[in-house]
Amino acid sequence: MAKRDGGKKKRKAPWPVPAPEPALRDVLRVPEGERIDLTAYDARATPAGPADKATGLAATAALGPRLAELQERLYAASTAGDRRRLLLVLQGMDTSGKGGTVKHVIGHFNPSGCRIRAFKAPTREEQNHPFLWRIMRALPQPGEIGIFDRSHYEDVLVARVRELAPRRLISRRYGQINRFEKSLAEDGVTVVKVFLHLSYEEQRDRLLKRLDNPDKHWKFDPGDIEERALWPEYRKAYEIALERCTTDEAPWYLVPADRKWYRNWAISKLLLEHLEALDPKYPPGDFDVAECRARLLAT
Amino acid sequence: MAKRDGGKKKRKAPWPVPAPEPALRDVLRVPEGERIDLTAYDARATPAGPADKATGLAATAALGPRLAELQERLYAASTAGDRRRLLLVLQGMDTSGKGGTVKHVIGHFNPSGCRIRAFKAPTREEQNHPFLWRIMRALPQPGEIGIFDRSHYEDVLVARVRELAPRRLISRRYGQINRFEKSLAEDGVTVVKVFLHLSYEEQRDRLLKRLDNPDKHWKFDPGDIEERALWPEYRKAYEIALERCTTDEAPWYLVPADRKWYRNWAISKLLLEHLEALDPKYPPGDFDVAECRARLLAT
């Protein structure tokens, strides 16, 4: 009977192997060497991963234990001299969810291994230094996860829109930033830059919600309405920053941010992919386990 | 009929009013003006609150939302000039759970409002300053929750046991600490000092567990066995610190720490009681809501 098939054994059709899902970092990465037009990106899109809220919340929660474990490994490795660490840079318009990301995404991690810094308008002392000075001082140490809520990019965003420095000077900063980030990468810092892409309409809704709830009035600043009037200028400034500062060492990721659950999932997943690529290991002990055991039992 | 009771209406017995539970802070507070003998305190005790693990875990989880809300209120109040903040000081022998407390208890909070600092052996620069210098630099800012994993107390603990400074100098530090903490209180810092009370036996078990799991070897230092040999000296140093530095402004709380679930519940509850006493309020907006609403809708 077997001969009838030319010697080949009849086999059941195997279960189809699903095509491997593309890494989210490849989906969200800002293309290099292209003009960026932010109006072409839908801020409500769910370009990969869960497509509805219930699935998204569950998927995000499911990432938690793995993120926590990788963070512990990264920290553990640093105690044995591994200098690697991760820096998440969050940028986006007012209400785009930088603070919410810290609360919900960084909440997965052990807080003692996180170094969080929210950058406000520079102080007098900070203004007397190069714009990267305060950034250097806030960097994560080996084994840590650093989070910047705003960053050195403010110096080419609000600084450009509000003309806080001569245009000539601002133009030089893109190169300074790229060189700085290249040095960070060489020193073991994985820089994950996330632009929270919010729509003009969603910002209006979020600002209105703050106004409607007296418990949120402390978060509202009438100045936010004036900043909103400069939306096209800010969009342009972001487009330039994304174009000029997406490098191999530190690309920008464009995360649709109108849906909070999608934003939280996408950033959690991006962090997971980067931590998995680092693949940090628990370092072995440099002591005699049996001997220590015996000494302990004698106490 | 009513007359038969002398004009009084017959009433059903009311539901008995339960006796109010004593505040945990009153239960765990180190008594003032007394000799402290740590051997008299059972490190496995559950002196108030849940008495078994399942109840304890549920009770701790149930405290989370209220803790997070109070933290947000505290932070919100600071944006309107309220200088109040909270500082949790964690001290205890090796493996007593200082790190675990940060992970499990501080995990209730929004990490961006927490300022966590683990104090190690002082650096060269720190040694060139008074011992409180590095402490001052790590203090929480208004609205924040600060957490010290070890603290200025190391300068009267390991410094005393290991004779890192002349005894005369160490003796003066208790008064310096009390004056420092009084100033903190005057500046709006609620200082919650927790001594994690671990038993000698439980420490042995925890060190053995680290030895038995290669993924935990990075946490093990053979030097810990030598420190353990100085247990009586450390206990004495703790007794003196608890005696001399329990003040009205900054009392010590003695938390039994052999059961991790109880430790986590007790510290969560202590923080809750202190935050509730602060009763921070969301500040009202200082803008015209209707006018802002109209301006926003026009955009």
Side-chain angles (χ1 to χ4, degrees), chain A residues 72-73 75-76 79 102-103 106-107 110-112 116 120 200 204 207-208 211-212 214-220 222 225-226 228 282-283 285 287 289 292-293 295-297 299, chain B residues 72-73 75-76 79 102-103 106-107 110-112 116 120 200 204 207-208 211-212 214-220 222 225-226 228 282-283 285 287 289 292-293 295-297 299:
Chain A
E72 185 172 271
R73 284 176 183 269
Y75 184 81
T79 65
V102 176
K103 186 168 159 180
I106 303 309
N110 182 337
S112 65
I116 305 169
K120 309 260 155 81
Y200 188 64
R204 185 199 297 115
L207 288 172
L208 285 171
L211 277 179
D212 290 345
D215 283 357
K216 302 281 181 202
H217 283 181
W218 66 278
K219 287 189 178 184
F220 188 87
I225 307 178
E226 277 113 65
R228 179 168 163 79
Y282 286 117
F287 47 83
V289 175
C292 285
R293 215 171 191 290
R295 275 169 63 206
L296 257 174
L297 283 170
T299 64
Chain B
E72 185 173 90
R73 284 176 182 269
Y75 184 80
T79 64
V102 176
K103 185 168 161 181
I106 303 309
N110 182 336
S112 66
I116 304 168
K120 309 259 155 85
Y200 188 65
R204 184 198 300 115
L207 288 172
L208 284 172
L211 277 180
D212 290 344
D215 284 358
K216 302 283 179 201
H217 282 180
W218 65 279
K219 287 189 178 184
F220 187 88
I225 307 179
E226 277 113 65
R228 179 170 164 77
Y282 286 117
F287 46 83
V289 175
C292 284
R293 213 170 194 291
R295 275 169 64 205
L296 257 173
L297 283 170
T299 65

Side-chain angles (χ1 to χ4, degrees), chain B residues 216-268:
Chain B
K216 302 283 179 201
H217 282 180
W218 65 279
K219 287 189 178 184
F220 187 88
D221 178 352
D224 296 344
I225 307 179
E226 277 113 65
E227 288 294 290
R228 179 170 164 77
L230 295 168
W231 185 275
E233 287 79 5
Y234 273 105
R235 188 178 59 219
K236 185 78 209 146
Y238 268 111
E239 287 169 347
I240 298 170
L242 297 179
E243 264 166 41
R244 299 201 191 162
C245 299
T246 283
T247 59
D248 277 344
E249 293 88 11
W252 273 103
Y253 297 99
L254 202 153
V255 171
D258 274 13
R259 302 174 196 259
K260 293 177 183 176
W261 62 265
Y262 188 77
R263 169 202 81 200
N264 289 340
W265 173 79
I267 300 176
S268 301

Side-chain angles (χ1 to χ4, degrees), chain B residues 92-98 150 196 198-199 202-204 206-207 210 219 224 231 257 260 263:
Chain B
M93 304 284 201
D94 284 340
T95 76
S96 61
K98 300 180 290 293
R150 304 186 187 272
L196 297 168
L198 191 77
S199 69
E202 179 70 15
Q203 188 188 57
R204 184 198 300 115
R206 292 189 183 179
L207 288 172
R210 286 186 184 173
K219 287 189 178 184
D224 296 344
W231 185 275
K260 293 177 183 176
R263 169 202 81 200

Side-chain angles (χ1 to χ4, degrees), chain A residues 254-268:
Chain A
L254 203 154
V255 171
D258 274 13
R259 301 174 197 259
K260 292 176 183 177
W261 62 264
Y262 188 78
R263 169 202 81 199
N264 289 340
W265 173 81
I267 300 175
S268 301

Side-chain angles (χ1 to χ4, degrees), chain B residues 48-161:
Chain B
D52 67 272
K53 185 169 174 177
T55 318
L57 292 176
T60 307
L63 297 174
R66 181 88 183 114
L67 284 169
E69 198 210 326
L70 283 162
Q71 181 203 15
E72 185 173 90
R73 284 176 182 269
L74 188 70
Y75 184 80
S78 79
T79 64
D82 190 334
R83 286 184 61 80
R84 291 179 304 167
R85 52 220 127 128
L86 190 146
L87 172 62
L88 174 66
V89 172
L90 296 171
Q91 287 285 166
M93 304 284 201
D94 284 340
T95 76
S96 61
K98 300 180 290 293
T101 299
V102 176
K103 185 168 161 181
H104 293 286
V105 177
I106 303 309
H108 289 310
F109 296 115
N110 182 336
S112 66
C114 296
R115 191 172 291 258
I116 304 168
R117 174 74 194 273
F119 289 97
K120 309 259 155 85
T123 63
R124 209 103 163 252
E125 188 187 21
E126 287 168 351
Q127 284 178 330
N128 284 334
H129 288 283
F131 76 102
L132 291 171
W133 178 77
R134 63 177 187 162
I135 306 299
M136 298 278 281
R137 293 161 56 95
L139 289 173
Q141 292 179 13
E144 291 183 341
I145 292 182
I147 302 98
F148 285 175
D149 173 345
R150 304 186 187 272
S151 66
H152 41 303
Y153 282 94
E154 291 297 321
D155 295 281
V156 294
L157 294 167
V158 64
R160 185 181 187 98
V161 172

